[in-house]
Amino acid sequence: MKSAFRATAAMVALIAGSSGAWADEAAIEKWLPEFQPSSLSEAEQKAEMEWFMKAAEPFRGMDIRVVSETIATHEYESKTLARAFSEITGINLTHDLIGEGDVVEKLQTQMQSGENIYDAYVNDSDLIGTHWRYKQARDLTAWMEGEGADVTSPTLDLDDFMGLSFTTGPDGEIYQLPDQQFANLYWFRYDWFTDPEIMAEFKEKYGYELGVPVNWSAYEDIAEFFTGREIDGQKVYGNMDYGKKDPSLGWRFTDAWLSMAGAGDKGTPNGLPVDEWGIRVNENSQPVGSCMTRGGATNSPAAVYSIEKYIDWLQNYTPPAAAGMTFSEAGPVPAQGNIAQQMFMYTTFVASLVAPGLPVMNDDGTPKWRLAPSPHGAYWEEGMKVGYQDAGSWTLMESTPVDRAKAAWLYAQFVTSKTVDVKKSHEGLTFIRKSTVEDESFTERAPRLGGLVEFYRSPARTQWTPTGTNIPDYPKLAQLWWQNIGDASSGAKSAQEALDSLCEAQEKVLSRLERAGIQGDLGPKLNDEESAEYWLEQPGAPKPKLENEKPEPITVSYDELIKSWQQ
């Protein structure tokens, strides 16, 4: 009864505009139960929240607006954490939720106009190359040591963030702070893959064990094996994907599909000098080409192979309706129970795949499916990234006035703080902190999440990374992908024709940026054209066409894979 009275009193005081510490302390006590579980003790949580309360004093009463895309994690922030922050700090925080494309559009408008549209953005770390080159996003390393030092939390603990390498430029400076991240992983029906009769039939037909495919050869065999058979009273498909000519089709490929095939160079978080978009940079990190004639790999044999495999599997092993679906429409389909495996499952969909009563859930609350590392293509080599990880990250623009940027930076740290991060991660399942992944509450929940926790605790996660710094202007270049890949997906062009068009379009953008000179010494500096054969004879990417693009299939037992991670 006392705590209820104090919380009510705090609300009245805040609404009345009181700046007394008593009201803030009461707000902290009110909200601490919401922040459970946490990796911190209650005393540590209180101390961290008291720091936010005191650091925010100069900004009380300010109206601050931030924006992010609409996913479960940000919904929790917008509906719950923003309110908690406002009550504890006295800053009136509005957290808008809009489409991912709209976030980028608002960001672009602010960059071009200098008008302060939002005080902070959660935008993908895929824009790290853009922010590093244009210098319109605040250098957070300099910010935390300089202008923003008085509003940088002593308990921020940057070393605890798993994705900080994703938001660091070639200069070693941090430009964005991770807020949420999710990977695209391999998804499969564990119950079917471990069924003795199905396993025996597969081995008799293909001569090896049914298991998690390590390479695309095995994935293709498994797709063929399951497609068309009847299980649990319904027709089953061996693959799920989407193919509608829509902006989301671009993400499907820029999100590391070419690197999964092996088109780029070795290196993490991204291949160097040629990355997963097929764009080459020189020793000064200047983009020098996308087409093979300039040393790029966007239209290389490995890239063509990747698109041809996608189309083959979409046409032959996937529900026919998928060809007309977008990202958001295709995501929930595996939950219907008729998909055996999916190469490209964004783990942001996990929360929707574990709902009680779904055909893919057991009665005891455990899933019939599992997540595992994605298989790699014929051109892939050890030391390359093998998948994509989305890392939505806080970005402060230089055009935002200092006081507003400081208030927004407090909120960015608040929603990523150790006090709230474990609870937030239970809501959205988009892990950013090592301490959160290792929290006991996720050890308890892990059996109900189909391998997600095990993946994030494993050393394998470092091979799943976002778009890197080779991309000098993500918004301009990313929009080229869905239009050109869409031509291949629809059959209007061959894979080679579509990728030739794509690399040429990318080089037109790079050329315009070079001529404009707006990125200075960090901007593109295109190579002179040589023959494609010249570059194919050089080490690394672009790589010459393999005589055999379907090497020996390899699978691994899922249970043995998990054991190897835990050793």
Side-chain angles (χ1 to χ4, degrees):
M1 196 67 184
K2 280 184 181 178
S3 61
F5 170 77
R6 289 182 60 167
T8 303
M11 286 295 292
V12 170
L14 281 168
I15 291 169
S18 168
S19 60
W22 184 84
D24 295 317
E25 294 285 357
I28 292 171
E29 286 196 19
K30 170 193 170 182
W31 282 102
L32 279 181
E34 169 61 34
F35 303 153
Q36 308 306 321
S38 172
S39 61
L40 300 182
S41 68
E42 186 172 327
E44 289 170 328
Q45 286 181 289
K46 279 186 178 180
E48 190 167 60
M49 291 297 101
E50 286 170 354
W51 179 87
F52 279 104
M53 174 188 76
K54 291 170 184 172
E57 285 178 359
F59 316 106
R60 286 175 180 272
M62 286 183 67
D63 295 318
I64 298 298
R65 292 180 69 212
V66 303
V67 68
S68 70
E69 65 174 305
T70 308
I71 63 172
T73 297
H74 298 318
E75 287 176 352
Y76 178 68
E77 290 169 341
S78 175
K79 295 174 183 176
T80 302
L81 294 183
R83 191 155 52 93
F85 176 79
S86 293
E87 292 182 14
I88 290 169
T89 66
I91 297 170
N92 302 316
L93 196 291
T94 300
H95 184 153
D96 287 344
L97 301 176
I98 59 179
E100 181 182 6
D102 295 327
V103 173
V104 175
E105 183 183 339
K106 297 290 186 186
L107 185 65
Q108 276 185 297
T109 301
Q110 183 155 340
M111 289 172 66
Q112 291 164 2
S113 68
E115 178 190 353
N116 187 51
I117 300 172
Y118 281 102
D119 301 305
Y121 293 81
V122 180
N123 70 283
D124 287 353
S125 73
D126 296 330
L127 277 82
I128 180 64
T130 309
H131 294 320
W132 170 61
R133 288 182 175 88
Y134 280 114
K135 302 301 182 187
Q136 292 198 38
R138 279 182 162 91
D139 174 340
L140 294 183
T141 301
W143 167 259
M144 289 184 285
E145 295 170 356
E147 280 186 316
D150 59 331
V151 286
T152 296
S153 170
T155 56
L156 180 57
D157 192 2
L158 289 173
D159 290 340
D160 194 40
F161 284 82
M162 294 185 293
L164 213 61
S165 64
F166 308 157
T167 61
T168 301
D171 55 3
E173 304 292 285
I174 299 166
Y175 287 86
Q176 299 171 278
L177 182 73
D179 178 272
Q180 51 83 8
Q181 62 191 68
F182 54 88
N184 65 344
L185 297 178
Y186 172 72
W187 179 96
F188 71 105
R189 285 294 296 268
Y190 177 80
D191 56 339
W192 296 349
F193 278 51
T194 54
D195 182 292
E197 289 186 14
I198 293 175
M199 292 175 70
E201 188 179 344
F202 182 88
K203 187 170 185 181
E204 181 179 353
K205 182 172 181 178
Y206 295 98
Y208 62 95
E209 299 291 343
L210 175 61
V212 174
V214 174
N215 58 13
W216 286 11
S217 301
Y219 183 88
E220 186 168 272
D221 285 349
I222 295 168
E224 178 187 61
F225 174 76
F226 277 103
T227 298
R229 65 180 51 234
E230 187 172 302
I231 303 178
D232 299 334
Q234 59 181 334
K235 182 180 178 181
V236 169
Y237 293 90
N239 179 58
M240 184 59 205
D241 217 317
Y242 61 99
K244 186 175 181 179
K245 195 172 182 180
D246 169 86
S248 67
L249 187 64
W251 315 335
R252 168 68 179 77
F253 293 94
T254 58
D255 291 357
W257 185 243
L258 272 63
S259 77
M260 294 166 73
D265 276 315
K266 295 179 182 179
T268 55
N270 305 91
L272 282 174
V274 180
D275 73 351
E276 64 272 19
W277 288 36
I279 291 179
R280 175 181 287 270
V281 294
N282 62 20
E283 64 278 6
N284 298 317
S285 296
Q286 294 173 296
V288 295
S290 175
C291 298
M292 286 192 291
T293 52
R294 299 188 199 271
T298 307
N299 63 337
S300 67
V304 172
Y305 154 83
S306 77
I307 302 303
E308 288 179 343
K309 284 299 179 187
Y310 155 75
I311 293 170
D312 179 24
W313 298 339
L314 184 67
Q315 291 176 345
N316 295 308
Y317 309 125
T318 313
M325 287 184 178
T326 64
F327 160 81
S328 57
E329 292 165 342
V333 170
Q336 297 170 11
N338 67 334
I339 305 297
Q341 61 173 359
Q342 181 166 327
M343 173 83 77
F344 200 85
M345 167 67 74
Y346 287 96
T347 59
T348 188
F349 286 115
V350 168
S352 66
L353 291 171
V354 296
L358 288 175
V360 294
M361 292 295 289
N362 294 309
D363 292 339
D364 64 357
T366 59
K368 297 177 181 179
W369 52 266
R370 297 290 188 274
L371 294 166
S374 311
H376 53 70
Y379 292 82
W380 189 87
E381 302 170 76
E382 197 68 43
M384 294 179 63
K385 67 181 285 184
V386 73
Y388 173 81
Q389 195 155 188
D390 183 292
S393 305
W394 286 102
T395 309
L396 301 178
M397 304 306 292
E398 288 282 6
S399 51
T400 300
V402 173
D403 60 340
R404 303 189 67 80
K406 284 186 173 185
W409 177 237
L410 285 171
Y411 178 67
Q413 295 172 94
F414 180 89
V415 297
T416 58
S417 67
K418 288 184 181 179
T419 290
V420 308
D421 192 62
V422 173
K423 174 60 183 295
K424 185 179 88 169
S425 297
H426 276 290
E427 294 288 332
L429 300 176
T430 55
F431 302 109
I432 55 168
R433 286 187 176 272
K434 288 176 263 188
S435 58
T436 293
V437 175
E438 297 296 337
D439 191 75
E440 183 181 350
S441 65
F442 278 108
T443 300
E444 295 171 1
R445 193 178 176 190
R448 289 173 166 76
L449 296 178
L452 181 65
V453 174
E454 289 84 350
F455 171 78
Y456 272 101
R457 288 179 174 178
S458 81
R461 73 164 189 262
T462 60
Q463 290 180 294
W464 275 254
T465 65
T467 300
T469 56
N470 285 25
I471 310 306
D473 193 316
Y474 182 93
K476 287 187 176 72
L477 290 164
Q479 64 184 335
L480 305 174
W481 282 69
W482 68 272
Q483 299 167 36
N484 287 283
I485 300 293
D487 287 340
S489 177
S490 67
K493 290 182 179 179
S494 69
Q496 184 70 68
E497 290 169 338
L499 291 174
D500 286 344
S501 296
L502 174 59
C503 78
E504 289 167 8
Q506 292 205 124
E507 288 190 351
K508 285 180 181 177
V509 173
L510 298 179
S511 179
R512 287 199 298 270
L513 290 173
E514 181 179 7
R515 289 196 306 272
I518 53 178
Q519 296 181 336
D521 293 339
L522 305 178
K525 187 177 183 181
L526 290 177
N527 284 335
D528 292 334
E529 289 191 281
E530 303 270 2
S531 68
E533 288 69 28
Y534 167 82
W535 284 103
L536 289 169
E537 290 171 359
Q538 307 305 312
K543 302 169 186 178
K545 184 175 175 64
L546 293 171
E547 289 186 12
N548 177 21
E549 292 185 331
K550 191 173 181 182
E552 182 180 350
I554 304 170
T555 57
V556 63
S557 160
Y558 175 79
D559 296 319
E560 292 303 315
L561 176 69
I562 294 297
K563 285 180 185 176
S564 72
W565 285 348
Q566 296 170 339
Q567 289 174 354

